Amino acid sequence: MPRTESPADRELCEAVWEAHRQTISCKQLETWRAAKLLPSNFRRALGRGQGKVSWFHPGAVGIAAELGRNSRPGRSLHETVLRTFTTNPYTFTEGRSARHPLTGQPELFSPEPGMRTALEWHLRKPRLTDEIFQRLSDGASADEALADANVELHRFAQESAQLLARRRRSLPASRQRDPKLRDVAAEITQLITDWVNGDGLPSEAVTEDSAMLLRAMGADRPEGELERVKSLIIADGLKGGLAELDASAYPKGADERAAALRQRTYREICEVALIVHFVARTIRNRRLSLTLLPGSQLVNRTAVLYATDPWLHQWMTVLEHTIGPQGPANWSGTTTAITALCCHPRGLEYARRLESQLAYSYGDSSASQVEVQLDEILAVKAGGT
């Protein structure tokens, strides 16, 4: 027998629509409550066999709206939670408190259990930052790994060429003649050849271009080879700064990292998430500004900071490769940065220092206008005008 939807849940769905113009279902509310992401409804028995009356917790409205915005058919609940957390960490940073409509007693709620479960799920997946830190803390293997990378790159180039050739043949004839898709495999092969035959340290641009070309052709293969090689390059370039980054203190295995994450209070995790969100916005805006607003305050001030503060430059190098050019929109990279800082014994200290240093380049009104200008330029480009 199907479960009857409660009036309180129907009212909550309506409240989410009215406040955020986001449609959610009562079934979704049940799923999110079971994952300890939403507070339970207030309930009170009427007595004498008259049943119960219920009201929704006001703190559920904002969280439900954000979860609904990031939900998709077939998408993992953990991914939905992390997309929500990294895109709008303010939603989860504090517990929600409300007074019971009848008793007047405060009812506290925090999504901490559900958030911790999602973070640990992500943490147990191999990520770029983990390999960077492990390579940094094991300098003896870095040179050997870089040598092995050349073999991997040649194999990757050959497999990519074969894959793209097959995909191109499967396209309609009109698409095969599309100039944008001509000789894509040859272009990737040439990129990799230039990479390997150069100075032995491939540029980030090559990896990004190769991945972009694969995606443009609809390739569904993992891009782990590129990510691994990028991590080796970053680690090799940062070996001299090992002492300041204190990479040797980073937990080696997934179990050790999970144990370290559990030692962090939820307040600390949320603080790191807010700082990483700020850093991710800075990365996104700086990269866009280099192309669209080259003389902006953000570009100039950040360049000065990088030149005068090697510690900041080293950390931002790791975070820029981890988070990627999309900034906060890259939920996986942003989550990786959050968990990496939360697992490191000095991660919170590092996060606070990053925030205080970058605030100089991003905090004043002239620099804050960069984000508005970039959004306007991107909107114009998207509109094709």
Side-chain angles (χ1 to χ4, degrees), residues 126 223 258 330 332 370 374:
E223 296 167 8
N330 180 5
S332 184
V370 168
L374 288 173

Side-chain angles (χ1 to χ4, degrees), residues 230-279:
K230 283 170 68 176
S231 75
L232 298 175
I233 298 161
I234 299 166
D236 186 71
L238 295 178
K239 276 190 295 187
L242 177 61
E244 282 197 88
L245 287 177
D246 195 17
S248 60
Y250 189 68
K252 296 291 192 300
D255 289 340
E256 290 78 5
R257 291 193 291 272
L261 183 64
R262 294 185 198 113
Q263 297 303 310
R264 288 288 181 198
T265 67
Y266 187 59
R267 181 181 291 275
E268 289 173 338
I269 292 173
C270 289
E271 181 181 351
V272 169
L274 288 168
I275 293 173
V276 170
H277 182 74
F278 168 66
V279 170

Side-chain angles (χ1 to χ4, degrees), residues 330-343:
N330 180 5
W331 70 274
S332 184
T334 305
T335 304
T336 297
I338 292 170
T339 54
L341 286 165
C342 285
C343 291

Side-chain angles (χ1 to χ4, degrees), residues 187-341:
E187 185 172 351
I188 286 186
T189 304
Q190 188 61 50
L191 282 170
I192 300 297
T193 301
D194 293 344
W195 184 347
V196 174
N197 294 335
D199 59 6
L201 292 178
S203 68
E204 177 193 354
V206 175
T207 64
E208 294 295 342
D209 289 345
S210 300
M212 179 186 69
L213 289 168
L214 282 172
R215 286 192 293 268
M217 287 295 292
D220 54 5
R221 60 172 286 122
E223 296 167 8
E225 294 94 335
L226 289 175
E227 290 298 295
R228 178 167 182 268
V229 173
K230 283 170 68 176
S231 75
L232 298 175
I233 298 161
I234 299 166
D236 186 71
L238 295 178
K239 276 190 295 187
L242 177 61
E244 282 197 88
L245 287 177
D246 195 17
S248 60
Y250 189 68
K252 296 291 192 300
D255 289 340
E256 290 78 5
R257 291 193 291 272
L261 183 64
R262 294 185 198 113
Q263 297 303 310
R264 288 288 181 198
T265 67
Y266 187 59
R267 181 181 291 275
E268 289 173 338
I269 292 173
C270 289
E271 181 181 351
V272 169
L274 288 168
I275 293 173
V276 170
H277 182 74
F278 168 66
V279 170
R281 285 172 55 216
T282 305
I283 289 171
R284 167 193 175 270
N285 292 343
R286 178 175 175 273
R287 290 202 174 186
L288 287 173
S289 296
L290 286 169
T291 303
L292 303 177
L293 300 171
S296 69
Q297 191 90 309
L298 178 64
V299 170
N300 295 337
R301 288 195 170 193
T302 306
V304 171
L305 277 175
Y306 282 10
T308 56
D309 190 337
W311 181 91
L312 175 70
H313 193 184
Q314 288 170 337
W315 263 104
M316 288 302 291
T317 298
V318 172
L319 293 177
E320 285 187 33
H321 282 80
T322 306
I323 295 171
Q326 291 177 298
N330 180 5
W331 70 274
S332 184
T334 305
T335 304
T336 297
I338 292 170
T339 54
L341 286 165

Side-chain angles (χ1 to χ4, degrees), residues 163-178 180-182 184 216-219:
L163 170 71
L164 294 174
R166 289 197 302 271
R167 287 194 175 269
R168 187 178 179 187
R169 288 195 297 269
S170 69
L171 294 172
S174 59
R175 287 290 309 282
Q176 291 189 38
R177 292 191 294 271
D178 187 340
K180 294 181 180 179
L181 298 181
R182 285 179 186 167
V184 174
M217 287 295 292

